[in-house]
Amino acid sequence: TVGTMDLQAWLVDSHADLRRRLFGAVVQQVPTERWNEQADGGGSSITWLLLHLARHQDLALTTVIRNKPPLFLAHAAALGLADAPTSSGLGEREQVTVSAAVAPDALVTYVNATFDATERWLRRLSAMALAIVPDTPRRLTTKAVLDPVELDWLFGVWGGHTVDWFVQWPVLGHGQAHVGEAIAVRNRMGLSPF
């Protein structure tokens, strides 16, 4: 139907816009040697925000929706996080030891791989799929090797939702919120292009 195609086009465009803002306003504006700085001595670094945003999108799309191991597991070694917990990057509060270990080039590769996978899925999206409620706790535990006790907040917030919710929140809404935060960090570093 026309409505389905309109929705799909809107989701693809919204996702492309998120990526454009992330790269155009943050990745290309902040030199990689400054990615681990915490502007004004507080808040999150660019490294953390990129990792965190990608981890949530990857986990929502690859694991919860598509029932596959998150791309993060295949990228962890290159990121410098082979020995880090599988929950690395998921919390809202920065784990400085995790950020410090992450290689910028590998991080950009992981972020791009995540956006590419999401875009491919969105382009093949069936509207019927949006109403499905995935077995989120099982997928997070078995595919992403996450501990429901350690991450009780994530399992609590993500449980019982439809695919539609995962696209709207962890992929798009959460992503836009952290792109806005990253732009604010960029500005506090004195790197606003305006």
Side-chain angles (χ1 to χ4, degrees), residues 40-108:
D40 307 329
S44 297
S45 68
I46 298 297
T47 294
W48 183 259
L49 292 170
L50 288 170
L51 178 65
H52 177 72
L53 182 158
R55 288 267 8 230
H56 277 248
Q57 182 177 152
D58 176 21
L59 201 58
L61 193 284
T62 313
T63 304
V64 174
I65 295 175
R66 299 187 63 220
N67 196 23
K68 296 179 182 301
L71 299 173
F72 173 76
L73 296 180
H75 285 261
L79 286 164
L81 300 174
D83 299 324
T86 54
S87 59
S88 295
L90 290 173
E92 294 296 323
R93 181 179 297 275
E94 181 160 1
Q95 298 162 283
V96 179
T97 53
V98 169
S99 302
V102 173
D105 290 351
L107 181 55
V108 170

Side-chain angles (χ1 to χ4, degrees), residues 87-166:
S87 59
S88 295
L90 290 173
E92 294 296 323
R93 181 179 297 275
E94 181 160 1
Q95 298 162 283
V96 179
T97 53
V98 169
S99 302
V102 173
D105 290 351
L107 181 55
V108 170
T109 299
Y110 171 56
V111 170
N112 275 318
T114 298
F115 271 88
D116 289 345
T118 302
E119 182 187 355
R120 281 193 302 274
W121 182 84
L122 286 171
R123 289 191 181 283
R124 295 192 307 260
L125 176 64
S126 154
M128 289 186 300
L130 292 172
I132 294 169
V133 177
D135 186 349
T136 301
R138 187 184 60 75
R139 292 178 182 187
L140 291 177
T141 305
T142 61
K143 301 290 183 180
V145 201
L146 296 174
D147 180 351
V149 176
E150 177 199 351
L151 296 172
D152 58 341
W153 59 272
L154 182 74
F155 281 74
V157 172
W158 283 26
H161 289 290
T162 57
V163 166
D164 177 52
W165 181 87
F166 284 97

Side-chain angles (χ1 to χ4, degrees), residues 11-31:
L11 291 171
V12 168
D13 287 349
S14 296
H15 185 253
D17 177 63
L18 173 64
R19 188 181 207 165
R20 260 192 310 277
R21 288 182 66 219
L22 180 64
F23 278 83
V26 180
V27 172
Q28 292 159 9
Q29 302 292 332
V30 182

